[in-house]
Amino acid sequence: MAPTLSSKPNYLSLSPRVLDAEGPFDDDGPADSSWLGPRHNNDYSEIRHIRILPTTDEILAQRRPFMPCKDPAGSTDHQSGMARMLDVQFRHLRYDVFEPVIDACYHASQQLAASLGQPTPLDYEARQHTARGTQYSLFRDIELEDLRFEREGIHLRLSFTCPARLRQRHLLSSGHLESGMLMAVIGLDANKTLSTTFCKIEMCQSTLAMKPITGNHFRAAVVASFADPADTDAVRQALQGLKGSREKNKFFVVEFPSVLVAGYYWILKHLQHLSSNSAEVAFSDIIALSSSQHKQQIGEPAYCGHGIDLSILQATNEKGSCPAPIVGPGFLDSAASERNNVVEAICSTTTLDRGQATALCENLSRGLAFTQGPPGTGKTYLGVSLAKVILKHVPNKPILVACMTNHALDNFLGDLIKEGITKVARLGSRSKEDWIGKHTMASLTKNFKLTYGENLRIGKSYRATESLLKEGAVWCEALNSETLTWNAVREHLEKNYWKAFNAFSKCLSRKEEQIEDIRQKRSAAGGFAFQHWSTGGDLKDIKAFEREIKTWFGKTKLDESSESEDFSPESPLRPSVHRLSNPLDYSSGVSSDDVWSLPMAGRVALLAKWESELGSSHALDKLVEIQQRYHAARETKSDVHNEVNARLLAGQEVIGMTTTACAKHWSMLKALDLQTLICEEAGEIMEAQTVTTLLPSITHAIFIGDPLQLRPQVDQPCLSLETAEGSKYRLDESLFERMAMPRAPGVQSLPVSKLNLQRRMHPDVADLMRATLYPFLQDHPSTSRLPVAGMAHRTFWLDHQEPEDIPDPLAVGGRSYSNSFECAMISELVRYLLNTNDFDSGDISVLVPYSRQLATLKEKLTRTVSCSIALSDKDKEDLADMGLLDDAGPQPFRTDVEVLTMVRLATIDGFQGEEAKVIILSTVRSNLQDRVGFLQTTNRINIFLPCGHSFNVAELDAEFALDQIFEMNSSGEIPDTKCSIADACKRALQCPQCGASCDGVQRYRHLRQFQLAPVTIERLYKMFGRKMDMGASKIRKDIENLDSGFKWFCKTIDMGPVASQQSAALIKARMTYLMTTQTAIARFRDQVVRKAEEDIEQTIGRLGNTYTSTTPSLSFKCRFDMLYLHCRLVQLREATRIVQFVEKAYDSKHMDAVIGTLRPRTIAEAKESIQEAGMLVAQSRSKMLRRVEAEALIIQVAFAKLIETLDSADSSQRKDVHEWLQQANILVTEYPDTAGLLKSSLESVKKYWHGEKTTAELWTPEARVFWEKWGKFHTGSLVYCEHGHPYTTALFRGCPECGRFVDPTVPAPQPDYESRLNRDKFLEVLQRMMGTH
């Protein structure tokens, strides 16, 4: 339904795009209702026909867009009521999202047009900005590398000339081309026709990753899917252009760093859906835009008819002692005294204050309820209380909880779970809370039993999508190939050239054709045969072809049955052998009756004929068709899963999701017939997003928030009520604010409940808000606290006349502001506060209104203040998008003490809902024009005012006797100690007033660290022991897997020339089987154990004799060295076994290179390992680690045997082996409790050395006991032996390393059995036994 275009065509001008000379919008009506006709091919009267993504003609539009005013008064619109509200919200939100996109695309198109005929520069600046200040990134010289068919459909891999600063791996950490963001591919063809295709970024690839493909070091790539895969015309047009001639077509990629596809798509799509049936919106007659003074009466929820029992909210000590309060029907219409009695009863029996109790009753009595809560008044607590009451009275219907952000949603759901509401389902995957895992849909569906019909439907939908996924991959491969492929020509040959098709497709034995998917295997064999035929492979070596076809299907040896089948007279390969014996007998004709008989010239001609018959766009059309079918199949699959999920969710108590998720899952939620909605932080949610939560079945909607705090965020000032132009549109006006404080003349406000008791701010701070925003706000007694350390007053305003920095409008972030004077002042103030040593992690927050000030302050604080600076994820993203985030490390002149994150740096919007003890606000703006800027809105005043209590340092120092323990300077550093650390460990760190722990206070962190030192050391030993046992168990398991898989390896490996690469891969896989284990052991040893042992020995030295009387001699590094040598032994043993098998089983020259390098390499590695084991013997001997010493000697013998096996002429190790065995035997004899456990291992390696066994069994049951006991280490029973070796008495009778020494020259004492015999008792027992007989 395309609109009729106006007579004035749209075109690309090289002048700056300026459409707002007379204002940004046109009120001349949309499409045909305009006097001049439609503005472009996406200008429609009904929003359901508008494409969500801009079209090329829309980007080039020369006229201003139509934008209806929010207030219907005086409007000439053809729509009214809810339909008009949906129309207004759709057009406003779409403009806010896509105006920067259109502006950037127009600017990029101008650069693309200007670049025609110009050489592509090898370096350029990717970040761009338009005359209107829109920032975007531009990547040049785009080429289509290949197509893939993934879960999202067609994926394009587009390479581009990468700017020099983003080469190597810098692109991956630059913030460019991040997954999920929107980008556009803009192109000009030979006819100078502009095209625009929008895509969703899947991933980016650095120049290093692309070098094997591009062959150079300056091209990177982005992998993207189509943003609207259902638009098949756009998909076809994009593929045709990108697959066209590079000389004729030229493309740029435009990246929009702040446009997340999922962030807008589902909301706009849902508004389009509702426009066809506006009756599906609950309370539509109340919330619809209207100029009438009359408002519909808001009735009570259905479950209020018999009164609402509030016993669920009663305090534990009140239950049973007094009747539960009841909110009766008609509460709002009852007398004031009756209402007051109910509220008093609630306050006396529950933990709700008077304002919360009143709001509770009013919310339960209104079908559409709004509650305003200033900061700290308990909005979330009220919401949880409402949920508990509603669930008691409506037990079979879940409550829908919706929030704007994942953070707010997780906080609310967490409070619900703490109150015992555990049947909670959390939809969405962007939560950062660990506890939310078991409440996600993925977790809930694991134990959910499906019905027989559901299983059938899910299986059917899954098979349909998987089949199309494979088919799409096949046609992507066909399009990627520069020559005709089997998949592209197969159907054509099967239909028109049956003999040729049969010759290619029947290259498998009949037995293999019967394996499961016959069609797939015939297709695969045909594909290989066709490729081999088209390249003339059989003309060169038919025998090589036969061997290759067998390798293709994983068959290595031919048995008698397969050989008789494949080389039967009916086989298509056999005639080729005879005919090609004399190729001169055949002409160069193009007959396809016998394709294998054709010479190369005939094959080329035949391929050209088939390609001509298919047409140039055959493969492309097939791929687009599959994309369309796949998209439909995915929707069907999603519908099936939604049916199952709806049945699962029906059994929950609470369903939590963001407003975007509500739009995405609308159909599923609609099927649940939900009745109750609780919307948190409702003042921050756009009306367009709020509508997605108002399901048609909702009869009770509760909105909790504060319209005087932050409003919804909009990007276009011309749509914001904070500007004169935007006051007509007010996109940043929430439904809450419009209902509570309507701006349209003559419109009455809805009743709003208000919470009035705050528990967060000191009264001095709260006075600021009482004087400006909340005159009704009261203070809870708990808000009166001690003064803030280092500050004389609770609030302080610094008035200065230093001007703000003059922004460069053409620079990156030119629309943002900064103030260098305020940065310097804040930096010094932060330094002063930190030097008091009274503030812990996160106690100090610095808030700024502008991103440029955020970046300037971050740099200033990082350079001058000795602490860590924390930025939120959102603020980091904003700085990266603006090019203001410096990823470089700390400056060399900065003193970094690496404390925890001490200072939180955030934008005002990013700090919403957070708290800190000290808030430092930089207002930034200071100019002669008296422009306040960001802070001109009262909504942004109260979020930087909360504070907390602090400790009196002098009193705490005296309480802990700190001056008797440490000499601490003003910076918190400790030059010296005054007493034993053991004495310090006895000090209790508790608040002198309430007894609360002071462990987290930075000033006392040194004291607390030493108090916890013994526990920390024991936990480290426990971790080391478990890691050792895990490593030993993994090595044993890997040995078992290698041994069990060797027979398969022998059957699988093929020494033929075609299979040489495959065989080398098999050998490499077995050789590197333990590489992961070996690397993990070495990394843990080097990065953790080595450093930890040094720190532990130093700490024990400072703890003194009260901890242990012996000097510690830790052995964990030596034990991990031993595990590492075991890995090496298994690896080299495997190499030796492979060499022996290959030499014995095959006489093939194709493996000479592999085996020829494998043998000497194995010998060299074994000799090196012997040296490492010798070093371990010396270390163990010096530390009295007798068990490790014996095990190292034994493993040396095993390495020596491998050398002798591979090179029998090498006798250099034989003399040493005799000495090693003798030393190991002495240790096993003299230390039976430790090294003696290796006796069976020693006997096994002796037999192995003398050739009596083919391998040495080192992991005997006795040897395993040591590792397994360390894996069961329990804290609380740690001791040190006389040599300083730590061990646990709960598992070891004595030291497991040095143990008990037994002199072999001294004979063991014989037991004196006679001395142990009690003669009298013996005779008594003997007489009793004789008496029984």
Side-chain angles (χ1 to χ4, degrees):
M1 182 179 176
T4 305
L5 292 178
S6 63
S7 58
K8 183 179 180 181
N10 294 315
Y11 59 90
L12 179 66
S13 170
L14 296 182
S15 302
R17 176 177 177 266
V18 180
L19 300 179
D20 53 359
E22 301 177 4
F25 306 124
D26 184 2
D27 59 359
D28 189 23
D32 294 330
S33 61
S34 170
W35 286 96
L36 299 177
R39 297 160 179 80
H40 45 75
N41 64 359
N42 201 27
D43 188 12
Y44 293 94
S45 297
E46 298 183 18
I47 61 173
R48 60 192 176 94
H49 297 307
I50 298 176
R51 294 180 183 178
I52 291 178
L53 295 164
T55 64
T56 303
D57 196 49
E58 185 176 2
I59 293 171
L60 299 177
Q62 302 296 306
R63 292 168 54 194
R64 295 172 295 161
F66 164 70
M67 198 62 56
C69 296
K70 190 167 190 176
D71 296 332
S75 174
T76 58
D77 296 340
H78 63 282
Q79 293 177 315
S80 61
M82 196 65 202
R84 185 181 186 279
M85 175 181 171
L86 296 171
D87 183 271
V88 167
Q89 292 300 322
F90 177 87
R91 294 183 189 274
H92 289 186
L93 178 58
R94 185 175 182 273
Y95 179 87
D96 188 61
V97 173
F98 288 112
E99 170 55 25
V101 172
I102 293 174
D103 191 40
C105 287
Y106 195 92
H107 187 263
S109 300
Q110 291 176 323
Q111 297 194 58
L112 176 61
S115 69
L116 294 179
Q118 302 294 326
T120 301
L122 290 180
D123 189 21
Y124 58 91
E125 177 53 52
R127 297 190 184 275
Q128 304 287 325
H129 56 269
T130 69
R132 306 181 67 175
T134 302
Q135 297 174 0
Y136 69 97
S137 297
L138 185 69
F139 299 98
R140 302 169 182 266
D141 192 22
I142 305 301
E143 291 185 28
L144 176 63
E145 293 293 340
D146 57 47
L147 299 171
R148 306 174 189 174
F149 207 91
E150 305 289 348
R151 295 293 172 187
E152 298 293 327
I154 300 174
H155 281 196
L156 314 168
R157 177 155 60 175
L158 305 172
S159 68
F160 56 87
T161 300
C162 185
R165 70 179 184 86
L166 299 179
R167 292 173 189 169
Q168 302 294 320
R169 299 184 62 84
H170 298 297
L171 176 65
L172 304 180
S173 59
S174 65
H176 284 290
L177 303 174
E178 292 188 335
S179 176
M181 307 308 288
L182 185 71
M183 78 173 204
V185 182
I186 297 179
L188 277 175
D189 62 14
N191 299 322
K192 303 297 187 292
T193 301
L194 184 69
S195 64
T196 308
T197 304
F198 289 97
C199 300
K200 183 179 76 170
I201 299 173
E202 301 294 338
M203 63 178 293
C204 65
Q205 294 178 297
S206 66
T207 55
L208 293 176
M210 289 300 296
K211 188 174 181 180
I213 299 174
T214 61
N216 57 60
H217 65 280
F218 57 84
R219 291 192 71 81
V222 57
V223 178
S225 59
F226 290 99
D228 187 2
D231 190 351
T232 54
D233 292 336
V235 173
R236 180 180 287 103
Q237 181 183 4
L239 293 177
Q240 285 175 341
L242 290 168
K243 289 293 292 183
S245 171
R246 183 185 175 189
E247 290 74 19
K248 297 181 180 179
N249 301 339
K250 194 167 186 177
F251 295 91
F252 282 177
V253 161
V254 183
E255 178 200 7
F256 315 102
S258 60
V259 183
L260 184 67
V261 175
Y264 67 83
Y265 179 81
W266 295 108
I267 300 292
L268 293 173
K269 201 73 176 175
H270 183 62
L271 292 175
Q272 287 182 319
H273 165 75
L274 291 178
S275 68
S276 301
N277 189 3
S278 58
E280 289 192 354
V281 181
F283 307 106
S284 58
D285 54 343
I286 299 175
I287 67 173
L289 296 171
S290 173
S291 59
S292 172
Q293 294 187 7
H294 175 69
K295 281 289 181 183
Q296 295 289 338
Q297 183 67 29
I298 301 176
E300 293 180 334
Y303 48 83
C304 294
H306 302 288
I308 300 177
D309 179 9
L310 302 183
S311 59
I312 191 70
L313 300 180
Q314 281 186 292
T316 305
N317 58 347
E318 295 289 343
K319 290 186 177 181
S321 61
C322 57
I326 296 177
V327 180
F331 171 83
L332 297 176
D333 297 328
S334 61
S337 58
E338 295 182 15
R339 297 198 301 270
N340 185 64
N341 291 337
V342 174
V343 171
E344 290 294 340
I346 295 174
C347 293
S348 62
T349 59
T350 71
T351 55
L352 297 173
D353 61 44
R354 185 173 184 82
Q356 292 170 335
T358 304
L360 178 80
C361 297
E362 292 174 348
N363 276 268
L364 293 174
S365 302
R366 296 187 183 120
L368 180 61
F370 296 90
T371 298
Q372 178 189 8
T377 52
K379 296 186 291 294
T380 300
Y381 187 71
L382 172 64
V384 172
S385 301
L386 285 166
K388 293 170 66 176
V389 173
I390 294 171
L391 284 173
K392 180 180 180 181
H393 290 81
V394 191
N396 299 323
K397 291 288 183 180
I399 297 175
L400 176 62
V401 173
C403 298
M404 174 64 185
T405 63
N406 288 285
H407 178 70
L409 178 63
D410 290 341
N411 285 342
F412 189 79
L413 295 182
D415 289 344
L416 286 175
I417 293 172
K418 290 177 184 177
E419 290 295 322
I421 303 174
T422 57
K423 297 177 69 175
V424 175
R426 207 290 197 186
L427 274 69
S429 58
R430 292 186 173 270
S431 174
K432 295 183 179 180
E433 302 292 339
D434 295 333
W435 56 265
I436 212 72
K438 62 181 181 180
H439 298 283
T440 61
M441 290 300 296
S443 178
L444 294 174
T445 52
K446 288 181 180 179
N447 300 321
F448 187 68
K449 188 175 182 180
L450 302 179
T451 65
Y452 177 75
E454 288 170 344
N455 272 314
L456 286 179
R457 292 194 297 274
I458 289 176
K460 183 179 179 180
S461 64
Y462 175 81
R463 288 189 296 271
T465 53
E466 289 300 307
S467 175
L468 289 169
L469 191 65
K470 294 177 181 177
E471 195 173 351
V474 164
W475 286 102
C476 282
E477 182 183 351
L479 275 172
N480 292 334
S481 176
E482 296 181 358
T483 59
L484 194 63
T485 64
W486 170 248
N487 294 309
V489 78
R490 186 172 64 86
E491 292 183 4
H492 181 64
L493 295 184
E494 187 174 13
K495 183 177 180 180
N496 301 303
Y497 298 91
W498 183 85
K499 290 184 179 180
F501 172 79
N502 197 42
F504 294 129
S505 61
K506 289 191 175 181
C507 290
L508 285 175
S509 65
R510 298 184 187 91
K511 184 182 295 185
E512 286 176 306
E513 286 183 0
Q514 296 172 2
I515 298 176
E516 293 186 7
D517 194 345
I518 298 176
R519 183 178 179 183
Q520 182 180 356
K521 291 197 173 292
R522 289 183 65 189
S523 173
F528 181 82
F530 179 81
Q531 181 185 8
H532 204 62
W533 171 85
S534 62
T535 57
D538 60 311
L539 299 175
K540 303 173 184 177
D541 190 356
I542 188 62
K543 292 184 179 181
F545 170 76
E546 293 170 357
R547 195 177 300 113
E548 190 84 13
I549 199 71
K550 285 300 170 184
T551 306
W552 180 270
F553 291 103
K555 197 167 184 181
T556 57
K557 287 188 177 183
L558 303 178
D559 54 23
E560 295 181 358
S561 61
S562 63
E563 189 170 341
S564 62
E565 276 192 54
D566 286 344
F567 289 88
S568 62
E570 293 79 17
S571 172
L573 301 183
R574 176 54 57 185
S576 301
V577 175
H578 294 296
R579 291 170 182 167
L580 292 176
S581 61
N582 186 8
L584 297 178
D585 293 343
Y586 296 92
S587 65
S588 60
V590 294
S591 172
S592 60
D593 291 343
D594 192 356
V595 292
W596 292 104
S597 64
L598 293 175
M600 197 62 214
R603 299 182 185 192
V604 172
L606 189 57
L607 286 170
K609 177 184 177 183
W610 290 340
E611 191 168 3
S612 175
E613 292 171 349
L614 286 171
S616 59
S617 62
H618 170 69
L620 190 147
D621 292 339
K622 288 290 294 184
L623 181 60
V624 173
E625 176 202 343
I626 292 170
Q627 167 91 341
Q628 186 177 15
R629 289 162 51 203
Y630 178 73
H631 182 68
R634 284 192 69 191
E635 289 187 345
T636 302
K637 181 180 177 181
S638 177
D639 292 341
V640 173
H641 279 283
N642 283 342
E643 293 177 10
V644 176
N645 292 338
R647 190 166 68 85
L648 184 153
L649 293 174
Q652 302 298 312
E653 292 179 316
V654 174
I655 302 172
M657 59 180 65
T658 61
T659 53
T660 301
C662 287
K664 183 178 180 180
H665 300 290
W666 172 272
S667 59
M668 179 182 68
L669 295 175
K670 184 180 175 182
L672 289 171
D673 195 32
L674 302 175
Q675 296 181 7
T676 307
L677 163 71
I678 297 178
C679 188
E680 266 269 318
E681 300 292 355
E684 297 182 48
I685 307 176
M686 290 183 181
E687 286 197 60
Q689 296 164 326
T690 305
V691 168
T692 65
T693 66
L694 295 174
L695 299 159
S697 58
I698 295 291
T699 59
H700 191 189
I702 300 171
F703 294 92
I704 303 174
D706 187 2
L708 295 182
Q709 293 190 49
L710 288 180
R711 291 193 178 99
Q713 295 185 16
V714 297
D715 292 328
Q716 302 305 308
C718 57
L719 291 176
S720 172
L721 59 80
E722 298 176 10
T723 64
E725 179 67 32
S727 61
K728 296 186 295 183
Y729 308 102
R730 305 195 302 276
L731 179 60
D732 54 347
E733 181 183 52
S734 64
L735 179 68
F736 192 151
E737 185 173 3
R738 181 166 67 86
M739 294 289 102
M741 298 178 291
R743 286 177 171 79
V747 177
Q748 296 179 349
S749 62
L750 292 183
V752 177
S753 303
K754 292 184 179 180
L755 306 181
N756 59 357
L757 186 65
Q758 66 90 15
R759 295 170 172 81
R760 180 180 299 173
M761 295 162 285
H762 190 277
D764 294 349
V765 180
D767 285 342
L768 291 172
M769 291 196 295
R770 271 188 286 270
T772 55
L773 300 174
Y774 310 107
F776 56 86
L777 191 62
Q778 301 175 14
D779 301 319
H780 192 271
S782 63
T783 56
S784 298
R785 304 184 180 99
L786 294 173
V788 178
M791 305 298 289
H793 304 285
R794 285 281 175 177
T795 58
F796 182 79
W797 299 90
L798 173 63
D799 184 16
H800 67 83
Q801 303 298 320
E802 298 295 329
E804 65 196 40
D805 301 333
I806 300 176
D808 181 2
L810 299 180
V812 175
R815 299 175 65 183
S816 191
Y817 296 90
S818 62
N819 191 308
S820 300
F821 173 78
E822 292 188 11
C823 287
M825 290 291 295
I826 290 172
S827 177
E828 292 304 315
L829 179 57
V830 169
R831 183 202 296 271
Y832 165 76
L833 292 173
L834 288 177
N835 285 340
T836 64
N837 290 300
D838 287 283
F839 298 100
D840 196 15
S841 171
D843 283 351
I844 302 174
S845 290
V846 180
L847 305 186
V848 298
Y850 299 103
S851 296
R852 180 167 288 280
Q853 182 78 342
L854 186 74
T856 306
L857 258 176
K858 177 182 180 294
E859 180 182 5
K860 184 74 173 176
L861 290 172
T862 304
R863 285 177 175 271
T864 60
V865 179
S866 298
C867 69
S868 300
I869 306 299
L871 291 173
S872 68
D873 292 340
K874 181 181 183 301
D875 288 336
K876 286 180 182 177
E877 293 173 2
D878 291 343
L879 292 184
D881 294 342
M882 298 176 65
L884 299 175
L885 185 62
D886 182 10
D887 293 329
Q891 299 300 318
F893 55 80
R894 170 186 168 223
T895 303
D896 191 352
V897 299
E898 286 303 323
V899 298
L900 294 175
T901 304
M902 295 294 295
V903 178
R904 166 81 184 277
L905 185 59
T907 58
I908 292 177
D909 287 349
F911 197 70
Q912 170 73 2
E914 302 292 335
E915 297 184 21
K917 290 184 178 179
V918 176
I919 299 293
I920 303 174
L921 171 68
S922 172
T923 57
V924 179
R925 303 305 298 273
S926 176
N927 49 68
L928 297 177
Q929 295 78 20
D930 292 333
R931 294 175 179 171
V932 179
F934 185 87
L935 292 176
Q936 68 181 342
T937 308
T938 56
N939 298 63
R940 296 189 172 103
I941 292 177
N942 61 60
I943 65 170
F944 48 78
L945 298 179
C947 67
H949 76 279
S950 61
F951 295 109
N952 186 300
V953 177
E955 292 180 2
L956 282 181
D957 283 357
E959 179 74 17
F960 302 148
L962 192 68
D963 56 341
Q964 301 176 19
I965 302 171
F966 297 136
E967 287 184 0
M968 181 178 290
N969 58 27
S970 59
S971 300
E973 299 173 348
I974 302 176
D976 195 10
T977 58
K978 294 184 176 181
C979 69
S980 169
I981 298 298
D983 295 335
C985 292
K986 300 176 182 178
R987 311 284 180 177
L989 296 178
Q990 293 180 343
C991 175
Q993 290 185 343
C994 62
S997 173
C998 301
D999 293 349
V1001 180
Q1002 180 206 2
R1003 186 175 183 84
Y1004 312 113
R1005 69 187 188 280
H1006 301 286
L1007 181 59
R1008 186 56 179 164
Q1009 286 173 356
F1010 282 110
Q1011 287 182 342
L1012 297 176
V1015 177
T1016 303
I1017 291 172
E1018 198 165 358
R1019 288 176 179 174
L1020 284 173
Y1021 291 163
K1022 179 179 180 180
M1023 177 181 66
F1024 294 163
R1026 294 193 175 184
K1027 288 289 185 180
M1028 288 192 305
D1029 183 41
M1030 289 170 57
S1033 301
K1034 186 65 169 61
I1035 293 171
R1036 296 197 303 269
K1037 185 65 176 179
D1038 290 345
I1039 293 174
E1040 294 175 2
N1041 292 338
L1042 285 171
D1043 290 343
S1044 62
F1046 189 71
K1047 187 175 181 181
W1048 174 88
F1049 168 79
C1050 296
K1051 290 182 178 181
T1052 305
I1053 192 169
D1054 188 347
M1055 309 313 298
V1058 175
S1060 59
Q1061 292 184 356
Q1062 177 189 3
S1063 299
L1066 286 172
I1067 293 173
K1068 179 181 178 182
R1070 294 188 66 81
M1071 287 285 298
T1072 59
Y1073 190 77
L1074 265 75
M1075 190 59 66
T1076 302
T1077 305
Q1078 179 177 308
T1079 303
I1081 290 172
R1083 184 184 296 114
F1084 186 77
R1085 176 196 63 191
D1086 297 336
Q1087 297 181 3
V1088 180
V1089 177
R1090 189 192 306 272
K1091 298 178 182 178
E1093 282 192 347
E1094 296 175 358
D1095 293 342
I1096 290 172
E1097 290 176 354
Q1098 292 179 4
T1099 303
I1100 291 177
R1102 297 192 69 181
L1103 289 174
N1105 294 334
T1106 56
Y1107 178 73
T1108 176
S1109 59
T1110 60
T1111 302
S1113 178
L1114 305 185
S1115 57
F1116 295 103
K1117 177 186 170 299
C1118 293
R1119 292 169 183 161
F1120 281 98
D1121 287 339
M1122 179 56 62
L1123 290 176
Y1124 180 82
L1125 286 174
H1126 273 291
C1127 291
R1128 300 281 289 158
L1129 179 63
V1130 176
Q1131 183 186 39
L1132 299 180
R1133 186 201 70 167
E1134 191 62 28
T1136 304
R1137 183 159 58 172
I1138 290 172
V1139 171
Q1140 288 181 300
F1141 167 74
V1142 171
E1143 290 183 337
K1144 181 178 179 181
Y1146 294 95
D1147 183 14
S1148 173
K1149 62 181 181 181
H1150 298 291
M1151 291 302 293
D1152 288 345
V1154 176
I1155 299 302
T1157 56
L1158 185 58
R1159 180 196 300 274
R1161 182 65 179 172
T1162 304
I1163 294 174
E1165 292 290 336
K1167 290 182 177 180
E1168 184 179 338
S1169 298
I1170 288 176
Q1171 294 178 358
E1172 293 176 358
M1175 294 173 60
L1176 183 57
V1177 169
Q1179 293 176 16
S1180 304
R1181 195 168 292 164
S1182 66
K1183 291 189 172 186
M1184 294 294 291
L1185 304 175
R1186 300 309 186 190
R1187 174 188 164 79
V1188 178
E1189 181 183 352
E1191 193 168 1
L1193 290 167
I1194 292 172
I1195 209 168
Q1196 279 183 305
V1197 179
F1199 282 122
K1201 181 61 178 178
L1202 295 180
I1203 297 173
E1204 184 180 79
T1205 302
L1206 293 173
D1207 187 2
S1208 57
D1210 189 348
S1211 59
S1212 60
Q1213 309 293 332
R1214 294 179 182 175
K1215 183 178 179 181
D1216 293 332
V1217 168
H1218 178 73
E1219 182 179 349
W1220 297 337
L1221 290 174
Q1222 187 177 13
Q1223 293 176 4
N1225 191 65
I1226 293 173
L1227 290 170
V1228 167
T1229 305
E1230 292 182 347
Y1231 297 93
D1233 299 335
T1234 56
L1237 297 177
L1238 301 173
K1239 184 175 182 179
S1240 55
S1241 299
L1242 177 61
E1243 295 299 325
S1244 178
V1245 82
K1246 284 181 181 178
K1247 294 180 180 180
Y1248 176 51
W1249 172 252
H1250 294 297
E1252 300 175 18
K1253 296 182 66 175
T1254 58
T1255 184
E1257 176 56 51
L1258 302 185
W1259 294 98
T1260 61
E1262 297 83 1
R1264 297 180 188 180
V1265 171
F1266 170 82
W1267 306 98
E1268 292 171 352
K1269 283 188 175 181
W1270 270 107
K1272 300 175 182 177
F1273 187 97
H1274 297 292
T1275 57
S1277 56
L1278 178 69
V1279 296
Y1280 291 85
C1281 75
E1282 58 180 335
H1283 298 115
H1285 306 147
Y1287 65 96
T1288 171
T1289 56
L1291 298 172
F1292 299 103
R1293 295 181 179 178
C1295 177
E1297 286 297 349
C1298 52
R1300 173 176 56 92
F1301 174 74
V1302 177
D1303 190 346
T1305 62
V1306 178
Q1310 297 296 325
D1312 184 7
Y1313 297 109
E1314 185 175 355
S1315 62
R1316 301 179 186 178
L1317 179 64
N1318 188 322
R1319 295 179 179 274
D1320 295 336
K1321 185 169 292 188
F1322 172 74
L1323 291 174
E1324 180 183 348
V1325 173
L1326 185 61
Q1327 291 174 357
R1328 191 184 309 118
M1329 293 175 61
M1330 294 178 64
T1332 58
H1333 294 285

